[in-house]
Amino acid sequence: MAINGPMTGIKVIELGNMIAAAACTRMMADLGADVIKVENTKGGDTFRAWPRMVGAPVEDECNPIFDNLNANKRSVSVDLKTPEGVQLMYKLLESADVFVTNVRTKGLGHMGLDYETLKVKFPKLVMGQLGAYGTKGPDKDKPGYDNTAFWARSGFMYGQKVDREGEPQAIPVYQPMAVGDISCACALMAGINAALLKARESGQGDRIVVPLYGMAMWMTNIQSTGTQFGYTYPKTRDISSPFGAPYLCKDGRWFMPQVTNFVRDKDKFYTAIGCEDLIGVPEYAVRTNFNKKEFNAPFIKKLEAVFATKTADEWCEIFKGFDLCYEKLYTYEEVLVDEQAIVNDYIYTMDYPEGRSFKTIRTAIRSDNTGLCEIKRGPMLGENTVEIMQKVGYSEDEINALIAKGTVSQHA
């Protein structure tokens, strides 16, 4: 059943690989857009096979991690290195509203799919392009994934080091895969929808570009800008905020308070942790004092000893009673069975052949009018090639000839 959402009636062509482009169009598909995923004939999107690296199934009809990003789409398999393949792509774009890609600009140019070409052929088309380092400068054509262009180049990864006094230099924390990609995908969808509104009014398309590097800089703008005023990273434990640091508890779990409004909540915090004797003490009432290592370091050690006296769940109950912000650190495994995630339908159980079921993650955008959309597994490579080619005007003989030539493929 088609999804009746705020993007119903919008046709989107995706030409991508791995995560960023696919994440953007998955969100669009869940809002009702008709998303056609264009893949090569030599195995398709590399992300189809990637889940094998973590031991997940990668079968045609059972690929849960791939489905996270590609549910509710259709697939066309075509060789874009051939003139006939490019012509098919043009036919798809002719009736499309949006073209989403994370192929580098140089590669798009080789196929005649760069924006300079497309804006002449399809003036109303909105193109969304995810890149690595931006459209200008010495690194504009440099390849980049989220761990390099987003995490490493922006200062994000280096800033996540947490050194402890007396220990060797800490190794930068390895960042979770795809967080940068999916952050950029969210920004790209926002830009695309803004451009779509303008295109509908004016008849003029646009290109929206979101680079991993630039998006990471925007996400860390407080940190980067703040370095001019002494707000430096990486932080050591000794100069981390004691009011927003994780603490190891009696049961081996981590608990993290978060006191943002210091003036309002400091006394409640001191009371919650059993340090009422600090209330009214002048030096503990000035937030900037905790930026000084000589003052902050012993306080951190004091709090480490305090939080070690109770379990993380006990601290959660105490902070809840004071209406203070807090959280226990969850594992990814715990997230899949978290009541809060389940009741909000962030978790979806996908049923596969042979009675297998796996939990997948829904996109978090919600439309009151649409409600929860039905989720259909991601398409098999070339599963919809013939039907889509027929829709854009190819005859049965033309389709069979291109299949025989290897220009396109249809999943059996």
PDB file of all heavy atoms in Angstrom, residues 54 77 175 204 207 212 267 276 326 371 412:
ATOM      1  N   VAL A  54      29.935  -7.620   9.733  1.00  0.00           N
ATOM      2  CA  VAL A  54      29.545  -7.717  11.137  1.00  0.00           C
ATOM      3  C   VAL A  54      28.742  -8.986  11.412  1.00  0.00           C
ATOM      4  O   VAL A  54      28.134  -9.119  12.472  1.00  0.00           O
ATOM      5  CB  VAL A  54      28.749  -6.468  11.582  1.00  0.00           C
ATOM      6  CG1 VAL A  54      29.608  -5.229  11.494  1.00  0.00           C
ATOM      7  CG2 VAL A  54      27.473  -6.290  10.760  1.00  0.00           C
ATOM      8  N   SER A  77      18.514  -1.602 -11.991  1.00  0.00           N
ATOM      9  CA  SER A  77      19.925  -1.948 -12.160  1.00  0.00           C
ATOM     10  C   SER A  77      20.349  -1.617 -13.590  1.00  0.00           C
ATOM     11  O   SER A  77      19.805  -2.175 -14.551  1.00  0.00           O
ATOM     12  CB  SER A  77      20.141  -3.441 -11.873  1.00  0.00           C
ATOM     13  OG  SER A  77      21.497  -3.788 -11.996  1.00  0.00           O
ATOM     14  N   GLN A 175      34.893   6.531  16.265  1.00  0.00           N
ATOM     15  CA  GLN A 175      33.521   7.031  16.229  1.00  0.00           C
ATOM     16  C   GLN A 175      32.565   6.017  15.618  1.00  0.00           C
ATOM     17  O   GLN A 175      32.936   5.224  14.762  1.00  0.00           O
ATOM     18  CB  GLN A 175      33.468   8.341  15.441  1.00  0.00           C
ATOM     19  CG  GLN A 175      34.413   9.404  15.976  1.00  0.00           C
ATOM     20  CD  GLN A 175      34.111   9.805  17.400  1.00  0.00           C
ATOM     21  OE1 GLN A 175      32.987   9.678  17.851  1.00  0.00           O
ATOM     22  NE2 GLN A 175      35.106  10.296  18.117  1.00  0.00           N
ATOM     23  N   GLN A 204      11.870  26.813 -11.219  1.00  0.00           N
ATOM     24  CA  GLN A 204      13.320  26.752 -11.331  1.00  0.00           C
ATOM     25  C   GLN A 204      13.885  25.810 -10.284  1.00  0.00           C
ATOM     26  O   GLN A 204      13.656  25.972  -9.086  1.00  0.00           O
ATOM     27  CB  GLN A 204      13.923  28.150 -11.144  1.00  0.00           C
ATOM     28  CG  GLN A 204      15.436  28.177 -11.278  1.00  0.00           C
ATOM     29  CD  GLN A 204      16.010  29.577 -11.103  1.00  0.00           C
ATOM     30  OE1 GLN A 204      15.256  30.547 -11.028  1.00  0.00           O
ATOM     31  NE2 GLN A 204      17.323  29.684 -11.049  1.00  0.00           N
ATOM     32  N   ARG A 207      20.449  23.153  -6.912  1.00  0.00           N
ATOM     33  CA  ARG A 207      21.297  22.098  -6.364  1.00  0.00           C
ATOM     34  C   ARG A 207      21.588  22.420  -4.904  1.00  0.00           C
ATOM     35  O   ARG A 207      22.017  23.518  -4.570  1.00  0.00           O
ATOM     36  CB  ARG A 207      22.616  21.979  -7.130  1.00  0.00           C
ATOM     37  CG  ARG A 207      23.534  20.888  -6.541  1.00  0.00           C
ATOM     38  CD  ARG A 207      24.774  20.650  -7.369  1.00  0.00           C
ATOM     39  NE  ARG A 207      25.701  21.770  -7.367  1.00  0.00           N
ATOM     40  CZ  ARG A 207      27.034  21.651  -7.444  1.00  0.00           C
ATOM     41  NH1 ARG A 207      27.597  20.445  -7.521  1.00  0.00           N
ATOM     42  NH2 ARG A 207      27.799  22.722  -7.464  1.00  0.00           N
ATOM     43  N   LEU A 212      30.353  16.484   4.058  1.00  0.00           N
ATOM     44  CA  LEU A 212      30.616  15.904   5.374  1.00  0.00           C
ATOM     45  C   LEU A 212      31.452  16.840   6.243  1.00  0.00           C
ATOM     46  O   LEU A 212      31.159  17.059   7.419  1.00  0.00           O
ATOM     47  CB  LEU A 212      31.341  14.568   5.205  1.00  0.00           C
ATOM     48  CG  LEU A 212      30.525  13.417   4.622  1.00  0.00           C
ATOM     49  CD1 LEU A 212      31.452  12.351   4.054  1.00  0.00           C
ATOM     50  CD2 LEU A 212      29.611  12.818   5.687  1.00  0.00           C
ATOM     51  N   ASP A 267      21.914  23.864  43.765  1.00  0.00           N
ATOM     52  CA  ASP A 267      21.589  23.430  45.117  1.00  0.00           C
ATOM     53  C   ASP A 267      20.835  22.103  45.107  1.00  0.00           C
ATOM     54  O   ASP A 267      21.042  21.256  45.996  1.00  0.00           O
ATOM     55  CB  ASP A 267      20.758  24.499  45.836  1.00  0.00           C
ATOM     56  CG  ASP A 267      21.581  25.744  46.158  1.00  0.00           C
ATOM     57  OD1 ASP A 267      22.820  25.692  45.990  1.00  0.00           O
ATOM     58  OD2 ASP A 267      20.987  26.763  46.562  1.00  0.00           O
ATOM     59  N   GLU A 276      25.030  18.538  50.818  1.00  0.00           N
ATOM     60  CA  GLU A 276      24.346  19.770  51.212  1.00  0.00           C
ATOM     61  C   GLU A 276      25.291  20.763  51.854  1.00  0.00           C
ATOM     62  O   GLU A 276      25.002  21.972  51.883  1.00  0.00           O
ATOM     63  CB  GLU A 276      23.209  19.457  52.193  1.00  0.00           C
ATOM     64  CG  GLU A 276      22.088  18.621  51.604  1.00  0.00           C
ATOM     65  CD  GLU A 276      22.271  17.132  51.864  1.00  0.00           C
ATOM     66  OE1 GLU A 276      23.444  16.713  51.977  1.00  0.00           O
ATOM     67  OE2 GLU A 276      21.265  16.411  51.941  1.00  0.00           O
ATOM     68  N   TYR A 326      19.210  13.782  33.741  1.00  0.00           N
ATOM     69  CA  TYR A 326      20.164  12.698  33.982  1.00  0.00           C
ATOM     70  C   TYR A 326      19.950  11.598  32.939  1.00  0.00           C
ATOM     71  O   TYR A 326      18.939  11.589  32.229  1.00  0.00           O
ATOM     72  CB  TYR A 326      19.938  12.083  35.380  1.00  0.00           C
ATOM     73  CG  TYR A 326      18.601  11.366  35.469  1.00  0.00           C
ATOM     74  CD1 TYR A 326      18.491  10.012  35.153  1.00  0.00           C
ATOM     75  CD2 TYR A 326      17.440  12.060  35.797  1.00  0.00           C
ATOM     76  CE1 TYR A 326      17.253   9.366  35.191  1.00  0.00           C
ATOM     77  CE2 TYR A 326      16.211  11.434  35.838  1.00  0.00           C
ATOM     78  CZ  TYR A 326      16.122  10.080  35.534  1.00  0.00           C
ATOM     79  OH  TYR A 326      14.911   9.455  35.544  1.00  0.00           O
ATOM     80  N   GLY A 371       0.732   9.249  10.231  1.00  0.00           N
ATOM     81  CA  GLY A 371       0.826   8.172  11.197  1.00  0.00           C
ATOM     82  C   GLY A 371       2.014   7.277  10.872  1.00  0.00           C
ATOM     83  O   GLY A 371       2.895   7.634  10.089  1.00  0.00           O
ATOM     84  N   ALA A 412      15.627 -11.918 -11.028  1.00  0.00           N
ATOM     85  CA  ALA A 412      14.751 -13.050 -11.412  1.00  0.00           C
ATOM     86  C   ALA A 412      13.678 -13.268 -10.354  1.00  0.00           C
ATOM     87  O   ALA A 412      13.923 -13.116  -9.169  1.00  0.00           O
ATOM     88  CB  ALA A 412      15.599 -14.303 -11.560  1.00  0.00           C
TER      89      ALA A 412
END
